C-alpha cells in the first residue's frame, strides 16, 4: 500500500459524529464517495463500549475491506489486534508508538498525532508510518485539542522530512484545505465535513475532486 496515497482523503468517524444519520450508512456513503483510508474513532460522549463497540468496529471493517479501504483503529490496540485491523492511530497521551509497534508487528500501519516538529521527530524515530498534524483550523468535533496550529508545523516537518507521510487535521473542508497541502501535507483527515453533513457521499466526492485539482496544481 502507498501510504501517502492512502492519506489523501482520510475519513475518521465514531457513532457520535453522525448526528441523526445511521453511522454505517455514513461510512458506506463515504466509501462510495471515494475515501482513501478510514479511522474507527469510537470515543467521547455517548460512544459505544464493550461488545457493542466491538461489533460496530467489525461492521465498519467489513465495509472497508469490501472496498479495499485501509481500516485504522484509534487508540485501542487490543481491539485492533483482535479484529485484525490494518493499523492503529495514537495521540501524544496514548501508548508510545514504539510499544504499539512491538504489539502490532512490522506489517501494520501506525499513525501518531503531532503538533510540533519535535513531536514529529520523536514519532518518526519511534517507528510511526505517518503523522497527523493540526488542528489546522478550529474544530468543535474534539473538545480537548491543542491550540489551533495553522500550517506552520506541517511546513517545518515537511522541510525536515521531505518524504515522510503527513496528514493534516482539524476543521478541514473542501473550501479551506488547500493551504495544508501547499504546506506539505499528503492528505487531509476529516470528521465533521463528511459525518455531519446532509449528504456524506456528495461531500466526499467534492473533497476528492478538489484534492485532485489541488495536487495537480502543486
Ligand atoms: N484531532 C485534532 S482536531 C480533531 C482531532 C481528532 C477533530 C477533527 O474533526 P473535524 O470535524 O474534521 O474538525
Ligand atoms: Mg488518542
Amino acid at each position: 500500500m502507498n501510504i501517502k496515497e492512502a492519506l489523501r482523503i482520510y475519513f475518521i468517524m465514531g457513532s457520535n459524529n453522525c448526528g441523526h444519520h445511521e453511522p454505517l450508512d455514513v461510512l458506506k456513503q463515504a466509501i462510495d464517495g471515494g475515501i482513501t483510508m478510514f479511522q474507527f474513532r469510537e470515543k467521547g460522549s455517548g460512544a459505544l463500549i464493550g461488545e457493542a463497540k466491538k461489533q460496530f468496529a467489525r461492521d465498519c471493517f467489513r465495509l472497508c475491506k469490501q472496498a479495499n479501504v485501509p481500516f485504522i483503529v484509534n487508540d485501542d490496540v487490543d481491539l485492533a489486534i483482535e479484529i485484525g485491523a490494518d493499523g492503529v492511530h495514537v495521540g501524544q497521551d496514548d501508548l508510545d508508538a514504539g510499544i504499539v509497534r512491538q504489539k502490532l508487528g512490522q506489517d501494520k500501519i501506525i499513525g501518531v498525532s503531532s503538533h510540533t516538529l519535535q513531536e514529529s521527530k520523536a514519532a518518526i524515530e519511534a517507528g510511526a508510518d505517518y503523522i497527523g498534524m493540526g488542528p489546522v483550523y478550529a474544530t468543535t468535533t474534539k473538545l480537548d485539542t491543542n491550540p489551533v496550529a495553522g500550517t506552520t508545523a506541517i511546513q517545518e516537518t515537511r522541510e525536515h522530512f521531505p518524504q515522510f507521510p503527513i496528514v493534516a487535521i482539524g476543521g478541514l473542508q473542501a473550501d479551506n484545505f488547500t493551504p495544508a497541502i501547499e504546506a506539505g501535507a499528503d492528505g487531509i483527515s476529516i470528521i465533521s465535513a463528511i459525518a455531519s453533513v446532509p449528504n456524506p457521499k456528495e461531500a466526499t466526492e467534492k473533497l476528492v475532486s478538489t484534492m485532485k485539482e489541488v495536487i495537480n496544481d502543486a
Side-chain angles (χ1 to χ4, degrees):
M1 177 199 317
N2 180 326
I3 253 273
K4 283 167 169 280
E5 281 173 19
L7 292 176
R8 292 278 194 251
I9 308 289
Y10 185 5
F11 180 41
I12 304 175
M13 188 200 83
S15 59
N16 60 3
N17 300 129
C18 299
H20 59 273
H21 290 297
E22 212 281 298
L24 283 176
D25 182 53
V26 171
L27 177 55
K28 176 95 182 38
Q29 289 197 45
I31 290 171
D32 290 346
I35 60 165
T36 50
M37 183 138 98
F38 175 66
Q39 183 185 126
F40 179 80
R41 183 173 178 277
E42 188 63 23
K43 66 197 297 186
S45 157
L48 301 170
I49 54 168
E51 272 309 311
K53 175 181 174 185
K54 208 178 285 181
Q55 188 54 50
F56 179 44
R58 287 189 197 280
D59 290 341
C60 291
F61 191 16
R62 180 172 33 81
L63 291 180
C64 288
K65 248 190 204 156
Q66 283 165 1
N68 262 322
V69 170
F71 178 89
I72 308 296
V73 173
N74 183 283
D75 281 1
D76 194 338
V77 181
D78 292 338
L79 174 66
I81 292 171
E82 186 175 341
I83 69 176
D86 298 305
V88 168
H89 185 98
V90 286
Q92 288 292 319
D93 300 331
D94 303 318
L95 267 190
D96 182 78
I99 294 170
V100 180
R101 177 63 71 202
Q102 280 174 18
K103 287 176 165 245
L104 284 182
Q106 291 305 318
D107 295 345
K108 301 292 183 181
I109 302 167
I110 298 177
V112 177
S113 304
S114 161
H115 313 92
T116 61
L117 174 60
Q118 203 179 348
E119 287 179 359
S120 298
K121 282 181 179 164
I124 292 166
E125 271 166 29
D129 295 298
Y130 75 85
I131 45 179
M133 299 199 69
V136 175
Y137 302 114
T139 178
T140 52
T141 307
K142 179 172 154 78
L143 300 177
D144 60 341
T145 60
N146 279 52
V148 170
T151 56
T152 310
I154 294 175
Q155 197 168 336
E156 285 170 0
T157 297
R158 176 53 73 225
E159 279 163 13
H160 276 74
F161 300 99
Q163 297 303 330
F164 196 79
I166 301 172
V167 66
I169 189 165
L172 297 171
Q173 306 182 5
D175 63 1
N176 73 5
F177 75 72
T178 303
I181 303 299
E182 287 173 349
D186 297 295
I188 51 175
S189 7
I190 303 274
I191 301 180
S192 56
I194 294 177
S196 317
V197 298
N199 192 327
K201 179 162 181 263
E202 260 179 31
T204 308
E205 286 168 346
K206 176 76 183 156
L207 290 162
V208 169
S209 62
T210 307
M211 181 63 82
K212 279 195 185 125
E213 286 166 23
V214 172
I215 287 175
N216 283 337
D217 288 351

